């Protein structure tokens, strides 16, 4: 399992309890929160009661099954909700840190029971309630996500939407919004137009508010590209602040052509690092861009400017240590991958906040970390992710997955060999 960061606040155990009628984007929020907290290094898991229901009671249930006056069904639904909660509490007992209980939790009584069980287990509880009355948003959510669930497999889409609307109406009969007397909560109203926080204290709940304030469900692509080849890349040297090579400049020109084709006259937010090679690449696009120090390449400290061969020869113990644990290894007077992830958090939140496409022109280690976040890979995998030079990675997020396209823009038949091929443990 992913080892906890050495510098984290002690004994973090947070239960996030989702609340809201069906089709209010709870699962979207739960998954995004899970990805964010996992990426920050917390053992995180979503417990989705809908999945328990499908697994234990069968998936093809029509709206009558969700009618609160259907006592038999209500008892069965309460049973699967308890199973998911039991599993979450057992998982916390095994070292879980951020558990997300994804269910409607639509009555005060149900929430009081969930909160009591969590508190008995020593967990901090925050309700995250998603409220939305915009019929268009609700219907689009039903069509985009619910119709693809096994519940409606093989059914006429309009009949499925009508059934789901009746399911919502059944939940609405008993739904009670969260009240201040129930404890800590965050209400996300109209897909983030307004966010209300009540009695939020401590480090993790504060991160939760920070993240939710910036989250929105609009899908738009994020493009990741390394700067064009630099003179250090040719020599296999780490870090430094070298200029682009002629091949790197040629890539920048092709990137400009790609952007013009993809975006046209549309808006594009461009982030670069503060290093020469990424700024030189971005300049050719002739669009405004924002420089972030947080996007600078991993700091190789005393090894900056060396090749991997030189490190092996001159600092063999350092070379070995990195080979043993490339994620945790920190260069002398430099950084580790874990350090890089930590400093990238504001960039991640900024990317979440943007509603237009975003292009990040940066460096190998930094883009590995961003890619791991966007593709929901565990952070310890990031040192090994393939991010070649002269290749644009287009990631288009949705609720349940992120579509990836890689476009090679180099002059050669395949991406140039990058220095990381010689890097320990890649
Ligand atoms: O070689 C290019 C580079 O961006 C270096 O500046 C950096 O140290 C390295 O890649 C990161 O890759 P790895 O973690 O595989 O050494």
């Amino acid at each position: 399992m992913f080892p906890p960061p050495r510098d984290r606040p002690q004994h973090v155990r947070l239960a996030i309890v989702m609340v809201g009628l069906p089709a209010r984007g709870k699962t979207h929020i739960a998954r995004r929160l899970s990805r964010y907290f996992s990426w920050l290094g917390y053992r995180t898991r979503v417990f989705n009661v809908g999945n328990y229901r499908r697994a234990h009671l069968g998936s093809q249930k029509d709206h009558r099954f969700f009618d609160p006056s259907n006592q038999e069904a209500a008892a069965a639904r309460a049973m699967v909700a308890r199973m998911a909660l039991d599993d979450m509490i057992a998982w916390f007992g095994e070292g879980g840190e951020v558990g997300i209980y994804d269910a409607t939790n639509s009555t005060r009584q149900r929430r009081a029971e969930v909160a009591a069980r969590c508190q008995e287990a020593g967990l901090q509880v925050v309700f995250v309630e998603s409220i939305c009355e915009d019929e268009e948003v609700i219907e689009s959510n039903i069509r985009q996500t619910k119709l693809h669930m096994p519940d409606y497999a093989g059914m006429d889409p309009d009949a499925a939407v009508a059934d789901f609307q009746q399911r919502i109406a059944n939940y609405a009969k008993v739904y009670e919004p969260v009240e201040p007397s129930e404890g800590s909560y965050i209400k996300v109203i109209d897909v983030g137009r307004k966010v209300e926080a009540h009695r939020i204290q401590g480090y993790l709940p504060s991160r939760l508010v920070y993240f939710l304030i910036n989250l929105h469900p609009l899908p738009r692509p994020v493009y990741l590209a390394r700067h064009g080849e630099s003179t250090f890349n040719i020599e296999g040297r780490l870090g430094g602040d070298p200029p682009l090579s002629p091949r790197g400049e040629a890539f920048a020109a092709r990137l400009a052509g790609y952007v013009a084709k993809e975006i046209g006259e549309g808006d594009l937010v461009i982030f670069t690092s503060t290093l020469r090679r990424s700024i030189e690449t971005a300049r050719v696009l002739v669009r405004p861009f924002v420089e972030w120090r947080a996007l600078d390449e991993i700091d190789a400290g005393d090894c900056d400017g060396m090749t991997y061969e030189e490190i092996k020869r001159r600092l063999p113990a350092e070379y070995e240590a990195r080979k043993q644990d490339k994620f945790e290894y920190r260069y002398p007077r430099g950084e580790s991958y874990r350090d890089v992830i930590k400093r990238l958090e504001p960039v991640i939140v900024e990317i979440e906040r943007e509603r237009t496409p975003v292009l990040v022109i940066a460096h190998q280690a930094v883009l590995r970390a961003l890619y791991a976040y966007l593709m929901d890979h565990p952070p310890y995998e990031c040192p090994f992710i393939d991010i070649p030079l002269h290749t644009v990675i287009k990631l288009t997020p949705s609720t349940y997955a992120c579509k990836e396209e890689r476009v090679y823009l180099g002059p050669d038949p395949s991406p140039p060999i990058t220095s990381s091929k010689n890097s320990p443990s890649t």
Side-chain angles (χ1 to χ4, degrees), residues 226-227 233 237-239 277 297-298 300 308 322 326 331 337 363-365 368 383 419-420 423-424 426:
R226 283 174 72 181
H227 53 80
N233 288 138
R237 297 197 177 279
L238 309 185
R277 53 198 185 277
E297 181 54 310
I298 189 170
Y308 294 115
R322 191 162 202 251
K326 195 172 170 189
Y331 282 107
Y337 268 90
H363 308 267
Q364 176 156 251
R368 282 174 170 159
S419 48
S420 78
S423 159
T426 49

PDB file of all heavy atoms in Angstrom, residues 226-227 233 237-239 277 297-298 300 308 322 326 331 337 363-365 368 383 419-420 423-424 426, ligand 1:
ATOM      1  N   ARG A 226       5.656  18.380 -23.050  1.00  0.00           N
ATOM      2  CA  ARG A 226       6.972  18.808 -22.585  1.00  0.00           C
ATOM      3  C   ARG A 226       7.455  19.919 -23.505  1.00  0.00           C
ATOM      4  O   ARG A 226       7.024  20.016 -24.664  1.00  0.00           O
ATOM      5  CB  ARG A 226       7.961  17.641 -22.629  1.00  0.00           C
ATOM      6  CG  ARG A 226       7.765  16.672 -21.489  1.00  0.00           C
ATOM      7  CD  ARG A 226       8.641  15.456 -21.639  1.00  0.00           C
ATOM      8  NE  ARG A 226      10.062  15.729 -21.383  1.00  0.00           N
ATOM      9  CZ  ARG A 226      11.016  14.801 -21.488  1.00  0.00           C
ATOM     10  NH1 ARG A 226      10.704  13.567 -21.841  1.00  0.00           N
ATOM     11  NH2 ARG A 226      12.260  15.105 -21.224  1.00  0.00           N
ATOM     12  N   HIS A 227       8.335  20.750 -22.997  1.00  0.00           N
ATOM     13  CA  HIS A 227       9.005  21.753 -23.838  1.00  0.00           C
ATOM     14  C   HIS A 227       9.688  21.026 -25.010  1.00  0.00           C
ATOM     15  O   HIS A 227       9.938  19.811 -24.943  1.00  0.00           O
ATOM     16  CB  HIS A 227      10.062  22.478 -23.004  1.00  0.00           C
ATOM     17  CG  HIS A 227      11.008  21.505 -22.340  1.00  0.00           C
ATOM     18  ND1 HIS A 227      12.060  20.923 -23.010  1.00  0.00           N
ATOM     19  CD2 HIS A 227      11.003  20.956 -21.101  1.00  0.00           C
ATOM     20  CE1 HIS A 227      12.690  20.087 -22.220  1.00  0.00           C
ATOM     21  NE2 HIS A 227      12.065  20.063 -21.037  1.00  0.00           N
ATOM     22  N   ASN A 233      18.916  18.092 -23.184  1.00  0.00           N
ATOM     23  CA  ASN A 233      18.313  16.808 -23.589  1.00  0.00           C
ATOM     24  C   ASN A 233      19.258  16.066 -24.528  1.00  0.00           C
ATOM     25  O   ASN A 233      19.426  14.855 -24.433  1.00  0.00           O
ATOM     26  CB  ASN A 233      16.968  17.001 -24.299  1.00  0.00           C
ATOM     27  CG  ASN A 233      15.842  17.423 -23.370  1.00  0.00           C
ATOM     28  OD1 ASN A 233      15.039  18.290 -23.703  1.00  0.00           O
ATOM     29  ND2 ASN A 233      15.774  16.828 -22.186  1.00  0.00           N
ATOM     30  N   ARG A 237      21.668  15.659 -19.983  1.00  0.00           N
ATOM     31  CA  ARG A 237      21.910  16.320 -18.692  1.00  0.00           C
ATOM     32  C   ARG A 237      20.603  16.689 -18.000  1.00  0.00           C
ATOM     33  O   ARG A 237      19.633  17.068 -18.652  1.00  0.00           O
ATOM     34  CB  ARG A 237      22.727  17.602 -18.872  1.00  0.00           C
ATOM     35  CG  ARG A 237      24.079  17.343 -19.425  1.00  0.00           C
ATOM     36  CD  ARG A 237      25.082  18.453 -19.272  1.00  0.00           C
ATOM     37  NE  ARG A 237      26.337  17.948 -19.830  1.00  0.00           N
ATOM     38  CZ  ARG A 237      27.179  17.156 -19.178  1.00  0.00           C
ATOM     39  NH1 ARG A 237      26.952  16.834 -17.926  1.00  0.00           N
ATOM     40  NH2 ARG A 237      28.261  16.690 -19.773  1.00  0.00           N
ATOM     41  N   LEU A 238      20.624  16.597 -16.675  1.00  0.00           N
ATOM     42  CA  LEU A 238      19.424  16.874 -15.894  1.00  0.00           C
ATOM     43  C   LEU A 238      19.303  18.367 -15.590  1.00  0.00           C
ATOM     44  O   LEU A 238      20.318  19.036 -15.368  1.00  0.00           O
ATOM     45  CB  LEU A 238      19.464  16.135 -14.555  1.00  0.00           C
ATOM     46  CG  LEU A 238      19.757  14.634 -14.574  1.00  0.00           C
ATOM     47  CD1 LEU A 238      19.629  14.080 -13.168  1.00  0.00           C
ATOM     48  CD2 LEU A 238      18.781  13.924 -15.514  1.00  0.00           C
ATOM     49  N   GLY A 239      18.049  18.799 -15.523  1.00  0.00           N
ATOM     50  CA  GLY A 239      17.753  20.130 -14.980  1.00  0.00           C
ATOM     51  C   GLY A 239      18.358  21.263 -15.760  1.00  0.00           C
ATOM     52  O   GLY A 239      18.271  21.323 -16.982  1.00  0.00           O
ATOM     53  N   ARG A 277      13.413  26.794 -21.416  1.00  0.00           N
ATOM     54  CA  ARG A 277      12.981  25.875 -22.483  1.00  0.00           C
ATOM     55  C   ARG A 277      11.468  25.804 -22.621  1.00  0.00           C
ATOM     56  O   ARG A 277      10.946  25.628 -23.719  1.00  0.00           O
ATOM     57  CB  ARG A 277      13.589  24.484 -22.267  1.00  0.00           C
ATOM     58  CG  ARG A 277      13.378  23.850 -20.887  1.00  0.00           C
ATOM     59  CD  ARG A 277      14.388  22.723 -20.704  1.00  0.00           C
ATOM     60  NE  ARG A 277      14.267  21.918 -19.479  1.00  0.00           N
ATOM     61  CZ  ARG A 277      14.753  22.250 -18.300  1.00  0.00           C
ATOM     62  NH1 ARG A 277      15.327  23.430 -18.120  1.00  0.00           N
ATOM     63  NH2 ARG A 277      14.651  21.425 -17.262  1.00  0.00           N
ATOM     64  N   GLU A 297      10.917  21.997 -13.368  1.00  0.00           N
ATOM     65  CA  GLU A 297      11.269  20.569 -13.306  1.00  0.00           C
ATOM     66  C   GLU A 297      11.733  20.171 -11.906  1.00  0.00           C
ATOM     67  O   GLU A 297      12.188  21.026 -11.129  1.00  0.00           O
ATOM     68  CB  GLU A 297      12.351  20.266 -14.361  1.00  0.00           C
ATOM     69  CG  GLU A 297      12.810  18.814 -14.443  1.00  0.00           C
ATOM     70  CD  GLU A 297      11.668  17.789 -14.635  1.00  0.00           C
ATOM     71  OE1 GLU A 297      10.677  17.835 -13.881  1.00  0.00           O
ATOM     72  OE2 GLU A 297      11.805  16.924 -15.517  1.00  0.00           O
ATOM     73  N   ILE A 298      11.627  18.894 -11.585  1.00  0.00           N
ATOM     74  CA  ILE A 298      12.118  18.367 -10.302  1.00  0.00           C
ATOM     75  C   ILE A 298      13.537  18.924 -10.082  1.00  0.00           C
ATOM     76  O   ILE A 298      14.346  18.928 -11.009  1.00  0.00           O
ATOM     77  CB  ILE A 298      12.093  16.813 -10.294  1.00  0.00           C
ATOM     78  CG1 ILE A 298      12.401  16.268  -8.895  1.00  0.00           C
ATOM     79  CG2 ILE A 298      13.039  16.215 -11.322  1.00  0.00           C
ATOM     80  CD1 ILE A 298      12.142  14.758  -8.767  1.00  0.00           C
ATOM     81  N   ALA A 300      17.063  18.705  -9.143  1.00  0.00           N
ATOM     82  CA  ALA A 300      18.031  17.611  -8.945  1.00  0.00           C
ATOM     83  C   ALA A 300      19.154  18.005  -7.977  1.00  0.00           C
ATOM     84  O   ALA A 300      20.128  17.262  -7.814  1.00  0.00           O
ATOM     85  CB  ALA A 300      18.587  17.152 -10.292  1.00  0.00           C
ATOM     86  N   TYR A 308      23.057  10.940 -16.073  1.00  0.00           N
ATOM     87  CA  TYR A 308      22.861   9.795 -15.157  1.00  0.00           C
ATOM     88  C   TYR A 308      24.180   9.037 -14.984  1.00  0.00           C
ATOM     89  O   TYR A 308      24.495   8.561 -13.902  1.00  0.00           O
ATOM     90  CB  TYR A 308      21.760   8.866 -15.678  1.00  0.00           C
ATOM     91  CG  TYR A 308      20.379   9.507 -15.688  1.00  0.00           C
ATOM     92  CD1 TYR A 308      19.706   9.742 -16.889  1.00  0.00           C
ATOM     93  CD2 TYR A 308      19.737   9.874 -14.510  1.00  0.00           C
ATOM     94  CE1 TYR A 308      18.453  10.339 -16.911  1.00  0.00           C
ATOM     95  CE2 TYR A 308      18.482  10.474 -14.522  1.00  0.00           C
ATOM     96  CZ  TYR A 308      17.849  10.705 -15.730  1.00  0.00           C
ATOM     97  OH  TYR A 308      16.611  11.301 -15.743  1.00  0.00           O
ATOM     98  N   ARG A 322      18.308   6.185  -5.420  1.00  0.00           N
ATOM     99  CA  ARG A 322      17.201   6.570  -6.311  1.00  0.00           C
ATOM    100  C   ARG A 322      16.624   5.340  -7.003  1.00  0.00           C
ATOM    101  O   ARG A 322      15.417   5.211  -7.198  1.00  0.00           O
ATOM    102  CB  ARG A 322      17.678   7.596  -7.336  1.00  0.00           C
ATOM    103  CG  ARG A 322      16.523   8.221  -8.105  1.00  0.00           C
ATOM    104  CD  ARG A 322      16.901   9.519  -8.784  1.00  0.00           C
ATOM    105  NE  ARG A 322      15.714  10.312  -9.044  1.00  0.00           N
ATOM    106  CZ  ARG A 322      15.191  10.517 -10.258  1.00  0.00           C
ATOM    107  NH1 ARG A 322      15.778   9.995 -11.312  1.00  0.00           N
ATOM    108  NH2 ARG A 322      14.098  11.230 -10.400  1.00  0.00           N
ATOM    109  N   LYS A 326      12.454   5.392  -6.270  1.00  0.00           N
ATOM    110  CA  LYS A 326      12.485   6.600  -7.091  1.00  0.00           C
ATOM    111  C   LYS A 326      11.429   7.626  -6.646  1.00  0.00           C
ATOM    112  O   LYS A 326      11.587   8.821  -6.868  1.00  0.00           O
ATOM    113  CB  LYS A 326      12.263   6.214  -8.562  1.00  0.00           C
ATOM    114  CG  LYS A 326      12.623   7.314  -9.519  1.00  0.00           C
ATOM    115  CD  LYS A 326      12.581   6.854 -10.966  1.00  0.00           C
ATOM    116  CE  LYS A 326      12.716   8.041 -11.886  1.00  0.00           C
ATOM    117  NZ  LYS A 326      12.480   7.703 -13.275  1.00  0.00           N
ATOM    118  N   TYR A 331      16.868  14.194  -4.079  1.00  0.00           N
ATOM    119  CA  TYR A 331      18.236  14.565  -4.451  1.00  0.00           C
ATOM    120  C   TYR A 331      18.847  15.404  -3.332  1.00  0.00           C
ATOM    121  O   TYR A 331      18.135  16.220  -2.720  1.00  0.00           O
ATOM    122  CB  TYR A 331      18.221  15.414  -5.733  1.00  0.00           C
ATOM    123  CG  TYR A 331      18.028  14.659  -7.022  1.00  0.00           C
ATOM    124  CD1 TYR A 331      16.826  14.718  -7.717  1.00  0.00           C
ATOM    125  CD2 TYR A 331      19.058  13.901  -7.569  1.00  0.00           C
ATOM    126  CE1 TYR A 331      16.643  14.051  -8.923  1.00  0.00           C
ATOM    127  CE2 TYR A 331      18.889  13.223  -8.784  1.00  0.00           C
ATOM    128  CZ  TYR A 331      17.687  13.302  -9.442  1.00  0.00           C
ATOM    129  OH  TYR A 331      17.525  12.638 -10.633  1.00  0.00           O
ATOM    130  N   TYR A 337       9.952  13.052  -5.943  1.00  0.00           N
ATOM    131  CA  TYR A 337       8.662  13.115  -6.643  1.00  0.00           C
ATOM    132  C   TYR A 337       7.562  13.523  -5.666  1.00  0.00           C
ATOM    133  O   TYR A 337       6.645  14.258  -6.020  1.00  0.00           O
ATOM    134  CB  TYR A 337       8.330  11.771  -7.305  1.00  0.00           C
ATOM    135  CG  TYR A 337       8.831  11.706  -8.729  1.00  0.00           C
ATOM    136  CD1 TYR A 337      10.102  11.226  -9.014  1.00  0.00           C
ATOM    137  CD2 TYR A 337       8.050  12.153  -9.791  1.00  0.00           C
ATOM    138  CE1 TYR A 337      10.572  11.176 -10.323  1.00  0.00           C
ATOM    139  CE2 TYR A 337       8.507  12.109 -11.101  1.00  0.00           C
ATOM    140  CZ  TYR A 337       9.772  11.623 -11.366  1.00  0.00           C
ATOM    141  OH  TYR A 337      10.225  11.591 -12.656  1.00  0.00           O
ATOM    142  N   HIS A 363       7.674  19.939 -17.881  1.00  0.00           N
ATOM    143  CA  HIS A 363       8.834  19.044 -17.862  1.00  0.00           C
ATOM    144  C   HIS A 363       8.412  17.623 -17.509  1.00  0.00           C
ATOM    145  O   HIS A 363       7.331  17.401 -16.967  1.00  0.00           O
ATOM    146  CB  HIS A 363       9.844  19.575 -16.847  1.00  0.00           C
ATOM    147  CG  HIS A 363      10.154  21.018 -17.074  1.00  0.00           C
ATOM    148  ND1 HIS A 363      11.200  21.437 -17.833  1.00  0.00           N
ATOM    149  CD2 HIS A 363       9.492  22.146 -16.675  1.00  0.00           C
ATOM    150  CE1 HIS A 363      11.198  22.761 -17.897  1.00  0.00           C
ATOM    151  NE2 HIS A 363      10.167  23.219 -17.193  1.00  0.00           N
ATOM    152  N   GLN A 364       9.357  16.733 -17.746  1.00  0.00           N
ATOM    153  CA  GLN A 364       9.046  15.314 -17.598  1.00  0.00           C
ATOM    154  C   GLN A 364       8.458  14.929 -16.219  1.00  0.00           C
ATOM    155  O   GLN A 364       7.358  14.383 -16.141  1.00  0.00           O
ATOM    156  CB  GLN A 364      10.316  14.511 -17.868  1.00  0.00           C
ATOM    157  CG  GLN A 364      10.155  13.022 -17.656  1.00  0.00           C
ATOM    158  CD  GLN A 364      11.166  12.232 -18.458  1.00  0.00           C
ATOM    159  OE1 GLN A 364      10.783  11.580 -19.421  1.00  0.00           O
ATOM    160  NE2 GLN A 364      12.412  12.301 -18.087  1.00  0.00           N
ATOM    161  N   ALA A 365       9.187  15.226 -15.144  1.00  0.00           N
ATOM    162  CA  ALA A 365       8.744  14.770 -13.821  1.00  0.00           C
ATOM    163  C   ALA A 365       7.430  15.443 -13.428  1.00  0.00           C
ATOM    164  O   ALA A 365       6.504  14.806 -12.906  1.00  0.00           O
ATOM    165  CB  ALA A 365       9.821  15.049 -12.780  1.00  0.00           C
ATOM    166  N   ARG A 368       4.572  14.058 -15.371  1.00  0.00           N
ATOM    167  CA  ARG A 368       4.216  12.727 -14.869  1.00  0.00           C
ATOM    168  C   ARG A 368       3.258  12.862 -13.684  1.00  0.00           C
ATOM    169  O   ARG A 368       2.271  12.125 -13.577  1.00  0.00           O
ATOM    170  CB  ARG A 368       5.471  11.988 -14.404  1.00  0.00           C
ATOM    171  CG  ARG A 368       6.277  11.412 -15.544  1.00  0.00           C
ATOM    172  CD  ARG A 368       7.572  10.837 -15.038  1.00  0.00           C
ATOM    173  NE  ARG A 368       8.245  10.070 -16.067  1.00  0.00           N
ATOM    174  CZ  ARG A 368       9.540   9.791 -16.052  1.00  0.00           C
ATOM    175  NH1 ARG A 368      10.317  10.227 -15.072  1.00  0.00           N
ATOM    176  NH2 ARG A 368      10.062   9.085 -17.028  1.00  0.00           N
ATOM    177  N   PRO A 383       6.790   8.244 -11.160  1.00  0.00           N
ATOM    178  CA  PRO A 383       8.150   8.293 -11.730  1.00  0.00           C
ATOM    179  C   PRO A 383       8.331   7.410 -12.958  1.00  0.00           C
ATOM    180  O   PRO A 383       9.346   7.509 -13.650  1.00  0.00           O
ATOM    181  CB  PRO A 383       9.036   7.774 -10.591  1.00  0.00           C
ATOM    182  CG  PRO A 383       8.230   7.895  -9.355  1.00  0.00           C
ATOM    183  CD  PRO A 383       6.789   7.796  -9.762  1.00  0.00           C
ATOM    184  N   SER A 419      16.350  11.583 -22.219  1.00  0.00           N
ATOM    185  CA  SER A 419      17.367  11.187 -21.250  1.00  0.00           C
ATOM    186  C   SER A 419      16.793  10.271 -20.185  1.00  0.00           C
ATOM    187  O   SER A 419      17.516   9.500 -19.587  1.00  0.00           O
ATOM    188  CB  SER A 419      17.967  12.417 -20.604  1.00  0.00           C
ATOM    189  OG  SER A 419      16.938  13.264 -20.186  1.00  0.00           O
ATOM    190  N   SER A 420      15.492  10.334 -19.933  1.00  0.00           N
ATOM    191  CA  SER A 420      14.944   9.526 -18.848  1.00  0.00           C
ATOM    192  C   SER A 420      15.036   8.035 -19.152  1.00  0.00           C
ATOM    193  O   SER A 420      14.911   7.213 -18.266  1.00  0.00           O
ATOM    194  CB  SER A 420      13.490   9.880 -18.585  1.00  0.00           C
ATOM    195  OG  SER A 420      12.703   9.282 -19.547  1.00  0.00           O
ATOM    196  N   SER A 423      17.418   6.843 -17.058  1.00  0.00           N
ATOM    197  CA  SER A 423      17.227   7.155 -15.647  1.00  0.00           C
ATOM    198  C   SER A 423      17.028   5.877 -14.839  1.00  0.00           C
ATOM    199  O   SER A 423      16.436   4.927 -15.331  1.00  0.00           O
ATOM    200  CB  SER A 423      15.990   8.026 -15.540  1.00  0.00           C
ATOM    201  OG  SER A 423      15.463   8.007 -14.282  1.00  0.00           O
ATOM    202  N   PRO A 424      17.529   5.819 -13.603  1.00  0.00           N
ATOM    203  CA  PRO A 424      17.344   4.632 -12.798  1.00  0.00           C
ATOM    204  C   PRO A 424      15.868   4.279 -12.667  1.00  0.00           C
ATOM    205  O   PRO A 424      15.052   5.171 -12.488  1.00  0.00           O
ATOM    206  CB  PRO A 424      17.908   5.013 -11.422  1.00  0.00           C
ATOM    207  CG  PRO A 424      18.553   6.319 -11.561  1.00  0.00           C
ATOM    208  CD  PRO A 424      18.199   6.897 -12.877  1.00  0.00           C
ATOM    209  N   THR A 426      13.460   3.538 -14.568  1.00  0.00           N
ATOM    210  CA  THR A 426      12.331   3.857 -15.467  1.00  0.00           C
ATOM    211  C   THR A 426      12.033   2.642 -16.318  1.00  0.00           C
ATOM    212  O   THR A 426      12.844   1.791 -16.502  1.00  0.00           O
ATOM    213  CB  THR A 426      12.637   5.051 -16.411  1.00  0.00           C
ATOM    214  OG1 THR A 426      13.884   4.834 -17.017  1.00  0.00           O
ATOM    215  CG2 THR A 426      12.593   6.331 -15.697  1.00  0.00           C
TER     216      THR A 426
HETATM  217  O1  LIG B   1      16.080  14.562 -18.550  1.00  0.00           O
HETATM  218  C1  LIG B   1      15.064  15.478 -18.615  1.00  0.00           C
HETATM  219  C2  LIG B   1      14.465  15.672 -17.246  1.00  0.00           C
HETATM  220  O2  LIG B   1      13.419  16.598 -17.366  1.00  0.00           O
HETATM  221  C3  LIG B   1      15.457  16.131 -16.163  1.00  0.00           C
HETATM  222  O3  LIG B   1      15.650  17.532 -16.098  1.00  0.00           O
HETATM  223  C4  LIG B   1      14.869  15.544 -14.923  1.00  0.00           C
HETATM  224  O4  LIG B   1      15.770  15.465 -13.859  1.00  0.00           O
HETATM  225  C5  LIG B   1      14.397  14.208 -15.437  1.00  0.00           C
HETATM  226  O5  LIG B   1      13.944  14.424 -16.755  1.00  0.00           O
HETATM  227  C6  LIG B   1      13.282  13.599 -14.619  1.00  0.00           C
HETATM  228  O6  LIG B   1      13.109  12.273 -15.017  1.00  0.00           O
HETATM  229  P1  LIG B   1      13.579  11.070 -14.062  1.00  0.00           P
HETATM  230  O7  LIG B   1      12.814  11.272 -12.778  1.00  0.00           O
HETATM  231  O8  LIG B   1      13.177   9.854 -14.809  1.00  0.00           O
HETATM  232  O9  LIG B   1      15.049  11.177 -13.824  1.00  0.00           O
END
